[in-house]
Amino acid sequence: MYSSSSSSTTPQKFDVFLSFRGKDTRRTFISFLYKELIGMSIRTFKDDVELKSGRRIASDLLMAIENSKIAVVIVSKNYPASPWCLQELEMIMDVEKKGSLIVMPIFYNVEPAHVRRQIEKVAQQFRKHENRENYETVVSWRQALTNLASISGHCSRDCEDDSKLLDEITKRITDMLLFSATPPSHSISNQFGFDAHMKELYPLLELTSNEGVRVIGIWARGGFKEGTRR
């Protein structure tokens, strides 16, 4: 477990926290994903942008994770080989366990089953960890990776190219953020049944579309004024 360092300044809030192995995806998939999210005005944490002077300090990362709504974890072929990535993943899964973070795994050019069962190349990577790290640390990393792979996510092999994968990810993120922004069930708006209708309306808006202006027509039966006598 980790604890955040105290700060006199208000922590910055993020919609999305990106966890990835830089040598695999920073200049390719991550760069396109980050650009797409920023272009949609989705506040996104990316370590080389948000951390000052390239620092990778656990307390800074934990604060960013705790102040994010969604953690998108891109598991690439060398992600499990990185102690830093696994430490970051452990933090993410700890926060997710508290119910304050949604985790979305992306299996990029790797088999989800290999990650979940930690076989093939993942097994080789963990044997190296076992030679360098203490037993408790490796066990916690294994558990974090297993828990991540048990969450429904996206797999690059299911998409014909990266652009399709990006479309799926950004649409799902947008839907998650929209639903999280709806008023709670006990709110006044829900007393009038607004929430159910809004959930049906959001997909029609297609906020991730690049087709320009979209016009939605809404028809409803006239209501009645409070206190009106029949």
Side-chain angles (χ1 to χ4, degrees), residues 91-197:
M91 288 189 271
I92 289 171
M93 299 311 294
D94 280 346
V95 177
E96 188 268 347
K97 191 184 302 181
K98 299 174 184 176
S100 57
L101 180 70
I102 299 172
V103 176
M104 181 192 302
I106 310 298
F107 301 98
Y108 190 75
N109 293 333
V110 297
E111 286 294 327
H114 293 179
V115 177
R116 182 173 59 256
R117 297 165 57 193
Q118 293 162 25
I119 59 176
E120 302 292 337
K121 185 173 182 178
V122 181
Q124 299 172 16
Q125 293 165 334
F126 267 95
R127 280 196 289 270
K128 292 182 179 180
H129 292 317
E130 289 169 347
N131 293 330
R132 299 169 182 168
E133 307 289 343
N134 64 60
Y135 175 78
E136 290 77 11
T137 296
V138 176
V139 168
S140 64
W141 289 350
R142 283 186 179 277
Q143 189 60 57
L145 199 60
T146 299
N147 292 344
L148 174 73
S150 299
I151 299 174
S152 175
H154 298 267
C155 185
S156 61
R157 64 168 164 75
D158 295 333
C159 297
E160 59 185 72
D161 54 42
D162 281 2
S163 66
K164 298 293 185 183
L165 180 60
L166 281 172
D167 287 344
E168 288 187 6
I169 295 170
T170 53
K171 184 179 187 307
R172 187 176 176 191
I173 289 173
T174 302
D175 289 345
M176 286 179 173
L177 293 175
L178 285 170
F179 288 141
S180 69
T182 56
S185 59
H186 61 272
S187 66
I188 295 177
S189 65
N190 197 48
Q191 293 177 16
F192 294 93
F194 289 166
D195 288 355
H197 296 301

Side-chain angles (χ1 to χ4, degrees), residues 15-32:
D15 295 314
V16 174
F17 180 98
L18 295 178
S19 177
F20 59 95
R21 183 70 194 273
K23 65 181 292 186
D24 289 345
T25 56
R26 186 185 300 278
R27 294 180 177 274
T28 52
F29 183 75
I30 289 298
S31 66
F32 295 122

